Amino acid sequence: MMTEVKVLYWSKKTLAVELKISLCEIVVNEVNFVRKCIATDTSQYDLWGKLVCTNFKISFITDDSMPLQKFHYKNLLLGEHDVPLTCIEQIVTVNDTKRKQKVLGPNQKLKFNPTELIIYCKDFRIVRFRFDEAGPESAKKVCLAIAHYSQPTDLQLLFAFEYVGEIYHNPAKKVNGIDPGGGGGIGIASGQQTPLFETYSDWDREIKRTGASEWRVCSVNEGYMISTCLPEYFVVPSSLADQDLKLYSYSFIGRRMPLWSWNHPNGSALVRMANIKDVLQQRRIDQRICNAITRSHPLRSDVYKSDLDKCLPNIQEIQAAHIKLKQLCVNEPFDETEEKWLSSLENTRWLEYIRAFLKHSAELVYMMECKHVSVVLQEEEGRDLSCLAASLIQVMLDPYFRTIVGFQSLIQKEWVMAGYQFLDRCNHLKRSDKESPLFLMFLDCVWQLLEQYPAAFEFSEVYLTILHDSARISLFGTFLFNCPHQRVKESTEFAISKNIQLGDEKGLRFPCVWDWSLQFTSQDRLLFHNPLYIGKSTPSVHNGALRTFKRSKKNYSSTLRGVPPALKNGIINEQEFLPRRNSLILKLKPDFFQPAEGQSHSMEQYFRDWFAKPVDLHGVILPHLSGTQIKLWKLCYFRWVPETQISHGGSITAFHRVSLLADEVDMLNRNLRQCKSNSSLQGHCLELDQSRMYFRANGLNDTSAAPDFLSSSFPFSPVGNLCRRSILGTPLSKFLSGAKIWLSTETLANED
């Protein structure tokens, strides 16, 4: 039997080379002679190696060559077969002989020796290991170690605390050569710093950028004296005094007073607000707040209030849709559900909820853009649905938030600092009953807009997918906490327990996810760039002088945006605007807000006029909402599913060719600049010589073939991570009396 197994030996020296060990990362358990299952009906393509559990991730180390060519894109923190502990959703152990399986929780006992380990991941990946040749006790110990370290009982047990504590004790140590928490991270292309909105000055700059002259930065919550779920600094109407804010704060749920988010150039403001719990004072305080917002408008326009709890699905409904989507994309065999797959997708209601958020946000864009009124987003606590709606409205209205740095600043402002409960909603500690994927839904909504208006966004769908993955890495403090105050409180307590001197700092400074150099090389970060993006201006040299000129948008508009099918000679058929399913102007359900009859007609006319004109890539963008135009985000949800893999296919083929074309255009521009520039511009030309594209042209009219590693899952490497469902030797199908379906988490949860 042993002759059939590739015998692997590891020394500590070899382990240090092959296992990516970060600072403070400790190997807590390991087992040799493990088989990772990746093939369909045979084990000949499976990988043999060592399974290692650290206090940060699980790693599989193998010397086996992959059956297909490896892809060269790498994460500096994670190996190709690594899974961060906070990305693990459920751990299932199986014993063939006893026909048993068990979902492992923390501090649980395992009464049988596992022959198989199945790890369900939050990124829709399923990883499977066999212990046929491994020592039974070693296999049991590593399974228990993974269960224990992936489900910590306390926030301070997450890896980020251990890491940042070591940094404070040893300042010379850095992760990948970068200091933690030093700032917001440098923008990929522009060199701009991402504002974190932790300081007075960041908010003040945003007020000036948007021209919100009648609004001011308020410091009444310094030291979190008023509310622990608000940032220390936020923006309020200038007419509201600090004393009034302190008085009114007691009437709001969570003391979450109205928060300014953004100002339209016409003076309309976007404001978020929790419900007023004091029924007796509700009318008076509400009127006072609305009057202050009205006075902050140059036209003294009215305030429009949108009750998001009545207009949009709640977090429980979104979580239920996400679970159904995951079961459909991962648990169900595609060959058996192909005929009913689209109807099954519809039944998850995931795309329906995506459409609901886009639709409602577009209607509020109309209120601000066309009606010139300020919009107040009201929600019970003001820290869930309003995060998503406020962010979408700003992406549609402000082209700055469609750049990389702008988008990162938007997430900092509307999610991180505004108190979105990442710890609970992402369920980092695996014991929250408040889990809900709102942040993923937001990224999905943005992807829908990116798919419809590719030239309007600086970032690519790869960037959005990696951002989703980064929320599951426990090194970054950005997505670990429920609010800024929790970061300060928990990290201060940790610093005291570890005898760390903080000085004037408010809590420990964790690594920031926007420091992308922590995870990726400068070359790989180029994948974040969208080659179709049309920037606002492009450097040009004319008569030896450097100047900028605006690129014409009309030449690109008709081909880059989705043109309504009924558009003929610039006129849209009336038939196109009859009430139809999923139409943007379709009459809303009774539980959605119903505008007045005259306003409804005005709204329909606004959407008619907007869709009839060429799109302004640096102005307002509105979503197409018909059934065929809201799509499933395949790169995010399907990248580990073997049946969906297309070698040399998928959207990457267009991405590759457009990148080469964009690089050729840059080459021509550089050549022109070099011909026309004088010696004083030599340095500038050298700076421009750096390509923004990951795929670069070998020369003008480059006709080279696409690289062999391209597939529909690019840039992710699914070869060793495909979740095959029918693997020879596994007992899973036997447990279901011959049913050819993957075990659901619900089935396993009740087994022992």
Side-chain angles (χ1 to χ4, degrees), residues 41-175:
D41 298 317
T42 176
S43 61
Q44 64 175 325
Y45 295 120
D46 293 352
L47 303 178
W48 288 90
K50 168 182 284 208
L51 180 61
V52 180
C53 174
T54 77
N55 58 341
F56 174 52
K57 63 178 183 284
I58 61 168
S59 292
F60 179 72
I61 310 165
T62 180
D63 281 342
D64 283 2
S65 58
M66 302 296 286
L68 299 175
Q69 182 175 341
K70 286 186 178 181
F71 174 44
H72 301 292
Y73 167 88
K74 297 182 185 299
N75 186 306
L76 300 176
L77 297 174
L78 301 166
E80 187 174 8
H81 303 284
D82 293 356
V83 179
L85 293 177
T86 38
C87 188
I88 296 175
E89 184 170 42
Q90 197 168 64
I91 301 158
V92 180
T93 52
V94 178
N95 181 281
D96 290 357
T97 308
K98 297 183 178 180
R99 296 168 59 86
K100 287 186 176 181
Q101 70 277 346
K102 181 179 179 65
V103 177
L104 277 183
N107 302 317
Q108 285 188 342
K109 292 183 179 179
L110 190 57
K111 296 180 181 178
F112 57 81
N113 292 324
T115 57
E116 184 169 5
L117 172 66
I118 310 170
I119 296 176
Y120 292 79
C121 304
K122 294 182 178 179
D123 60 3
F124 284 41
R125 184 172 20 161
I126 298 178
V127 188
R128 304 177 61 178
F129 300 102
R130 294 284 302 178
F131 301 121
D132 300 305
E133 305 300 330
E137 284 300 318
S138 297
K140 179 189 290 188
K141 286 179 180 178
V142 81
C143 291
L144 291 171
I146 293 171
H148 177 75
Y149 281 90
S150 65
Q151 301 174 73
T153 55
D154 187 78
L155 175 59
Q156 294 181 24
L157 294 176
L158 291 175
F159 178 72
F161 282 87
E162 191 70 30
Y163 169 79
V164 80
E166 181 67 21
I167 287 292
Y168 275 84
H169 281 301
N170 300 282
K173 294 184 178 180
K174 304 172 185 178
V175 58

Side-chain angles (χ1 to χ4, degrees), residues 53 111 134 155 200 258 278 286 288 553 569 675 695 709 731 738 745:
C53 174
K111 296 180 181 178
L155 175 59
Y200 183 102
D278 190 340
D286 195 54
R288 180 72 180 90
K553 298 180 283 295
N569 299 323
C675 291
F695 296 106
F709 55 72
T745 53

